[in-house]
Amino acid sequence: MTSHLDPAEPSPGATEDGYDPTAVEAKWQERWRERGTNHTDLGGGERPFYALMMFPYPSAEGLHVGNLFAFTGNDIYARFQRLQGHTVFEPLGYDAFGIHSENYALKVGVHPMRLIPRNIANFRRQLERAGLMVDWRYSVDTTDQSYYKWTQWVFLQLYKHGLAYKKKAAVNWCPSCKTVLANEQVVGGACERCGTVVEQRFLEQWFFRISDYAERLLHNLATIDWSETTKTAQRNWIGRSEGAELVFPVQGTGGHAIPVFTTRADTIFGATYMVLAPEHPLVPALTTDVQREAVDAYRARSARQDLITRKVNKEKTGVFTGSHAVNPATGAPIPVWIADYVLMDYGTGAIMAVPGHDERDFEFATVFGLPIVRVVAGAGDDASTELAVAFVENEAGRLVNSGTFDGRTVADAKRDITEMLHGKGAGKGVVNYRLHDWCISRQRYWGPPIPIIYCDVCGAQPVPEADLPVVLPDIEDYRPDDSGISPLARHAEWYHVACPKCGKQGRRETDVSDTFLDSGWYFLRYPSADRTDVAFDPAITRKWLPVNSYIGGNEHAVLHLLYSRFITMVLHDMGHLTFEEPFTRFRAHGLIIKEGAKMSKTKGNVVIPDQFIEQWGADAFRTYLMFLGPYEEGGDFRDAGISGVKRFLDRLWLAATLATTEGVPDESVMRKLHQTLAKVGADIPKLSYNTAIAALMEYMNVLRRGERRPHRAEVEPVVQMAAPFAPHVAEELWERFGHGGSVFDAGWPRFDEALAREDAYQLAVQVNGKLRGTLSVGVGIGQDDAVALALAEPGIAKFVTGSLRKVIFVPGRLLSLVV
RNA sequence: GCGAGGGUGGCGAAAUGGUAGACGCGGGGGACUUAAAAUCCCCUCCGGGCAACCGGGUGCGGGUUCGAUUCCCGCCCUUCGCACCA
């Protein structure tokens, strides 16, 4: 201790130059438990504020720094809201079902029912050590019967309203994980989890009709306060596309007709052939005997082909069916082909090919020698200008070779041609979406069984709500096999069950549901987690939802966030909820990287929070994570940087423990204090944590200047402002100031604008746009006085070589002289 | 290919039309110490100059403006998402 000031007496938790985080943090975590400081009065609390963060998957490796970065950011926001006088609810739980847990369990040979509780206990220990303001009385564990009972209940609600249905569908099959994957879980044709190339299989699957909600899911985006990047991702995923469905009659095949979806009805005069997806149901009927062998071979090849080959290999292949259709605009017969560049699951699974104005069709027509006709001419082109490539710039385009529509703009022709075909019964305007129905079936063990019973007499029957949960049996052979049938089917005592309708022996559905169903409604469960009789209590739900603030990773921008919105909308429509959007505000946090690279086990650059917390304390670790960079952009974690933050907390500790109540606070220090109060109070709601911390550091530098002994009034508000970041230290210092309760119930320091106001400032003076000096001036100075003062300064005046042509005076900022 | 971010000292970063580099790390120098650690103080964008100062500088090239990291146009690089979506 080299300062000339000494603490009155050594105190526990203090070290020579600061504080001992281990002692202080253990003390306060114990205190919080004893006092129930983090408990939320859900029934009676005033001004409820629900601060939600995405719940973690409790991996065996334990909490990683990315989890903690996310949770800390939410915790700071939640604690700040509490300091603003809200009753804050900050719950946390575990998303513990799913293929990830199951694969890990298989790998290490420990049953998931034994593994997951172990992981959860470890997570809980780490989360508590990090000092989160979580009310653990209201937690959820998606693998607990008391939770998944209600996940099954949610399924039944959708089933009863016709929103859950079963169909045989081509699905992505991972031969290594031996399971079906959602489209979203296939990355570049490979399994997102293990990287194995995905195959196609046809299986009976349960689906939710999310596509029925596409328009509302898109439309409502305009009403919610979400990160713009997240909303954009959802808009792209929903993929609304306005166009027309046009019908092409087939020649001589007994009334067959091919509907196509197109966004370019204006180009119909240039449709010189048609293409159906190989799987299209009309293909057998349209194939002529001469072509049948070739067509069948091509269809067989496509069916066998895995998705990666089909999607990545963009070389055009196809086979002529032997049939011709009639172009409804020209009346000309055009050949019908099949090709795998047309996808069965978009639009109608068939297209009119306009090689002159579509790059893919152009390529196909070139390969197979099909006619290419220009029907749109750009500036400087005419009807006969050769097409070397597909012409797709349609802004300035005018129609050509299109009969009475020649000369029209592309936009006009789209409308007029659709109208003309509509009049002939050959088409209509339609809106198409890229969004597909949500496949929720998983042929795996580690998930909630889908509550359906099959009866030979009565068909598929929902399990009565009174019989929920359908308990996932504790079986030893849960390993999936190649059959595509869930491991549950191998357990007769579970599999065979009485039909709920007729009582005869039936069979249980052996698929379990997707984890995104677990997480699709968990935010509804938290406030009602103590209720065994309902999924969520209506009155509590009305009080606490929708969620005021939701923070999480943008990797869930389309999956979890879209499904949650869908489930909420559906439950709203059934009358279970009064709102249809679950998250009023959503902010995506950034990613923590390490020395410029993503953290990963293979790179060996994963930061384990425990070691840092042990060495530096949770407060310093939290504050450092938030200081790394802008919260919504993430930051680069470097081991060295944390020392600066710990130094800041030590200085705060010393300033607070040395503070005096004698004399009066320094006027200029108090001015800086109130300026800091304004800055920190504005930055935290914007999640601009790094600049808020910088402002606090800057203030501490002012406070300590000259090693003066600070006045208590100069320090106490800093303890409150620092509390969201460093809650343990703040509590300890608050107590040492003699306060009885928690600092988090003390409110936010009062900001006084009069005290923050400066009476003088540095006026920058520019001559011809270059800075030539600064003047210290009073706040009220006018332009003329400022100019006179500037010209009196030799260092400035020497650049003023002629008469002043222009003067720009920005009070409080600068004076710009133009000569 | 399409969509959304991002590019600023040795490093993490600030500043969204008004003094570029706040705050922190690292580095250099000093105080204290027998010494070291810790702590405290000073310096730290680049070039020139003993200095006061001068010139240059926010990926690159243009433009608007008294003034541009910030706005506009055209490129380059990079991260993420989507991708034969008709």
Side-chain angles (χ1 to χ4, degrees):
Chain A
M1 188 60 146
T2 54
S3 164
H4 59 282
L5 302 169
D6 289 314
E9 57 189 75
S11 49
T15 64
E16 199 182 0
D17 301 305
Y19 73 101
D20 171 19
T22 312
V24 171
E25 291 175 7
K27 169 181 166 181
W28 282 96
Q29 283 167 14
E30 184 53 36
R31 254 322 148 76
W32 291 335
R33 264 190 296 274
E34 284 167 8
R35 294 182 177 172
T37 307
N38 299 338
H39 290 180
T40 307
D41 178 4
L42 291 176
E46 302 272 310
R47 300 179 67 206
F49 191 95
Y50 191 168
L52 181 69
M53 51 191 146
M54 286 184 183
F55 64 167
Y57 155 69
S59 70
E61 293 85 35
L63 202 61
H64 59 82
V65 72
N67 294 130
L68 216 43
F69 176 77
F71 299 158
T72 303
N74 183 64
D75 190 57
I76 286 160
Y77 193 68
R79 288 180 183 276
F80 177 75
Q81 293 299 338
R82 179 162 171 180
L83 285 161
Q84 302 295 315
H86 289 101
T87 303
V88 175
F89 182 45
E90 183 188 346
L92 198 54
Y94 309 98
D95 187 17
F97 263 141
I99 193 168
H100 192 146
S101 306
E102 188 177 316
N103 284 353
Y104 187 82
L106 288 166
K107 188 174 144 195
V108 299
V110 180
H111 195 284
M113 284 191 182
R114 259 60 76 193
L115 186 69
I116 290 298
R118 212 185 284 170
N119 293 353
I120 285 179
N122 187 39
F123 258 63
R124 173 76 183 265
R125 176 188 63 75
Q126 290 179 298
L127 291 166
E128 294 207 52
R129 184 65 190 86
L132 300 175
M133 194 177 70
V134 168
D135 187 344
W136 289 105
R137 299 173 307 164
Y138 296 90
S139 190
V140 303
D141 164 4
T142 56
T143 68
D144 196 292
Q145 289 180 29
S146 66
Y147 182 83
Y148 73 71
K149 169 182 179 173
W150 300 111
T151 304
Q152 292 170 339
W153 176 86
V154 170
F155 173 91
L156 290 179
Q157 305 316 303
L158 275 94
Y159 179 81
K160 285 176 188 168
H161 288 82
L163 292 168
Y165 66 99
K166 212 173 183 192
K167 73 172 178 195
K168 195 159 191 175
V171 291
N172 308 296
W173 175 264
C174 172
S176 166
C177 299
K178 296 191 173 79
T179 190
V180 167
L181 302 173
N183 282 341
E184 304 89 276
Q185 291 163 330
V186 179
V187 177
C191 173
E192 143 189 275
R193 209 159 289 294
C194 68
T196 309
V197 169
V198 168
E199 302 170 350
Q200 276 187 72
R201 279 209 181 180
F202 282 84
L203 293 174
E204 286 275 329
Q205 309 282 330
W206 283 98
F207 285 85
F208 283 165
R209 292 191 199 278
I210 190 171
S211 60
D212 284 5
Y213 283 71
E215 188 60 45
R216 264 166 86 192
L217 288 166
L218 180 68
H219 183 78
N220 276 11
L221 285 174
T223 69
I224 49 183
D225 174 19
W226 283 25
S227 297
E228 209 45 55
T229 53
T230 312
K231 291 212 262 188
T232 303
Q234 292 216 345
R235 278 190 198 104
N236 292 342
W237 192 260
I238 293 167
R240 185 180 201 273
S241 177
E242 269 182 43
E245 195 172 300
L246 308 178
V247 182
F248 286 61
V250 180
Q251 278 187 328
T253 49
H256 286 297
I258 304 167
V260 301
F261 174 73
T262 180
T263 56
R264 295 297 306 276
D266 56 298
T267 62
I268 190 166
F269 285 84
T272 53
Y273 65 100
M274 301 192 73
V275 185
L276 306 189
E279 308 90 336
H280 198 287
L282 274 178
V283 172
L286 300 190
T287 304
T288 59
D289 292 341
V290 179
Q291 291 301 104
R292 190 159 310 273
E293 198 178 324
V295 166
D296 286 351
Y298 188 81
R299 294 184 90 202
R301 202 191 84 178
S302 302
R304 223 180 317 116
Q305 207 168 41
D306 57 78
L307 290 163
I308 192 169
T309 317
R310 179 155 173 180
K311 290 213 164 182
V312 172
N313 179 8
K314 300 197 174 176
E315 273 159 41
K316 296 288 177 285
T317 58
V319 177
F320 178 44
T321 61
S323 286
H324 288 80
V326 178
N327 183 321
T330 62
I334 56 176
V336 179
W337 287 62
I338 64 170
D340 64 3
Y341 82 94
V342 173
L343 308 174
M344 192 58 225
D345 56 7
Y346 185 76
T348 61
I351 62 161
M352 64 173 201
V354 183
H357 306 281
D358 181 283
E359 284 163 7
R360 298 151 301 181
D361 297 344
F362 186 92
E363 199 189 323
F364 190 85
T366 305
V367 171
F368 292 102
L370 293 157
I372 299 170
V373 175
R374 177 187 281 276
V375 289
V376 181
D381 294 334
D382 63 32
S384 55
T385 307
E386 284 286 313
L387 282 159
V389 292
F391 178 75
V392 294
E393 302 136 52
N394 48 30
E395 286 300 308
R398 287 283 188 280
L399 263 63
V400 292
N401 296 324
S402 296
T404 58
F405 297 96
D406 279 0
R408 276 183 224 195
T409 64
V410 166
D412 287 349
K414 274 185 194 181
R415 186 194 57 227
D416 297 346
I417 289 177
T418 305
E419 213 166 87
M420 179 271 287
L421 291 171
H422 187 67
K424 290 165 63 176
K428 59 181 186 225
V430 297
V431 175
N432 210 349
Y433 300 92
R434 209 191 69 114
L435 181 68
H436 298 318
D437 279 346
W438 173 14
C439 175
I440 62 143
S441 281
R442 296 292 180 274
Q443 286 70 38
R444 299 287 293 227
Y445 168 69
W446 194 232
I450 292 174
I452 292 287
I453 293 168
Y454 299 99
C455 172
D456 289 337
V457 183
C458 313
Q461 292 297 319
V463 172
E465 287 181 18
D467 294 349
L468 295 180
V470 177
V471 176
L472 182 69
D474 186 349
I475 55 173
E476 278 316 308
D477 63 327
Y478 56 91
R479 186 177 291 272
D481 62 27
D482 202 36
S483 67
I485 295 166
S486 164
L488 292 174
R490 298 194 293 258
H491 290 265
E493 73 289 354
W494 184 87
Y495 179 56
H496 293 296
V497 63
C499 170
K501 196 170 174 189
C502 71
K504 293 209 180 73
Q505 192 184 69
R507 305 169 312 278
R508 285 196 190 278
E509 168 61 67
T510 57
D511 286 357
V512 298
S513 59
D514 182 8
T515 45
F516 281 117
L517 181 57
D518 302 330
S519 57
W521 75 282
Y522 78 113
F523 45 91
L524 298 172
R525 182 63 184 166
Y526 279 132
S528 300
D530 56 339
R531 295 289 295 269
T532 56
D533 56 333
V534 285
F536 43 88
D537 177 82
I540 286 289
T541 303
R542 237 189 331 274
K543 177 164 180 173
W544 287 93
L545 284 116
V547 169
N548 300 86
S549 164
Y550 193 22
I551 287 177
N554 224 6
E555 67 272 19
H556 291 120
V558 288
L559 310 178
H560 162 62
L561 287 170
L562 194 66
Y563 294 149
S564 297
R565 293 181 59 216
F566 165 66
I567 295 287
T568 303
M569 227 172 250
V570 162
L571 291 173
H572 164 267
D573 290 354
M574 295 172 190
H576 294 296
L577 299 172
T578 55
F579 51 90
E580 56 179 75
E581 284 295 335
F583 316 122
T584 306
R585 169 179 146 127
F586 173 76
R587 291 292 179 274
H589 63 248
L591 236 56
I592 291 286
I593 57 170
K594 168 93 176 188
E595 274 122 30
K598 220 170 177 170
M599 278 187 215
S600 72
K601 252 190 292 184
T602 47
K603 284 203 196 76
N605 61 353
V606 175
V607 176
I608 308 295
D610 296 39
Q611 302 157 6
F612 282 88
I613 290 178
E614 194 181 324
Q615 185 181 354
W616 300 97
D619 284 335
F621 192 63
R622 289 165 57 103
T623 309
Y624 177 56
L625 285 178
M626 296 301 106
F627 186 60
L628 284 175
Y631 186 64
E632 290 174 81
E633 284 166 37
D636 197 336
F637 190 96
R638 286 165 312 117
D639 299 6
I642 194 170
S643 60
V645 168
K646 176 61 164 58
R647 237 188 314 265
F648 160 71
L649 294 175
D650 283 334
R651 287 166 177 171
L652 173 60
W653 174 279
L654 286 176
T657 51
L658 296 176
T660 177
T661 50
E662 285 163 32
V664 290
D666 180 90
E667 197 185 326
S668 70
V669 171
M670 289 304 280
R671 186 180 308 128
K672 186 71 182 172
L673 174 71
H674 280 266
Q675 288 166 359
T676 305
L677 209 40
K679 171 88 177 141
V680 173
D683 281 356
I684 293 180
K686 288 189 297 185
L687 310 187
S688 188
Y689 300 141
N690 57 332
T691 54
I693 294 165
L696 289 169
M697 287 174 165
E698 204 177 323
Y699 175 68
M700 286 306 293
N701 291 342
V702 170
L703 181 70
R704 296 177 327 111
R705 198 178 290 154
E707 294 190 37
R708 53 188 288 278
R709 182 167 202 149
H711 192 275
R712 184 171 143 171
E714 298 162 357
V715 187
E716 205 173 77
V718 186
V719 171
Q720 289 162 282
M721 283 191 278
F725 301 96
H728 310 86
V729 168
E731 289 277 36
E732 177 65 24
L733 295 176
W734 192 248
E735 185 182 66
R736 287 177 186 229
F737 280 137
H739 301 291
S742 169
V743 66
F744 296 101
D745 295 323
W748 192 248
R750 196 180 57 84
F751 169 65
D752 189 335
E753 202 191 339
L755 289 177
R757 203 172 296 139
E758 298 277 0
D759 49 14
Y761 66 95
Q762 293 293 306
L763 178 72
V765 181
Q766 293 183 350
V767 180
N768 286 343
K770 280 181 190 269
L771 183 73
R772 295 304 183 186
T774 56
L775 302 170
S776 187
V777 298
V779 279
I781 193 168
Q783 175 172 320
D784 294 347
D785 290 343
V787 172
L789 217 53
L791 294 178
E793 195 70 40
I796 295 167
K798 70 178 176 186
F799 293 99
V800 183
T801 49
S803 60
L804 288 179
R805 291 203 294 123
K806 198 170 176 182
V807 175
I808 296 111
F809 179 59
V810 184
R813 288 286 183 183
L814 63 45
L815 176 68
S816 185
L817 306 174
V818 186
V819 294

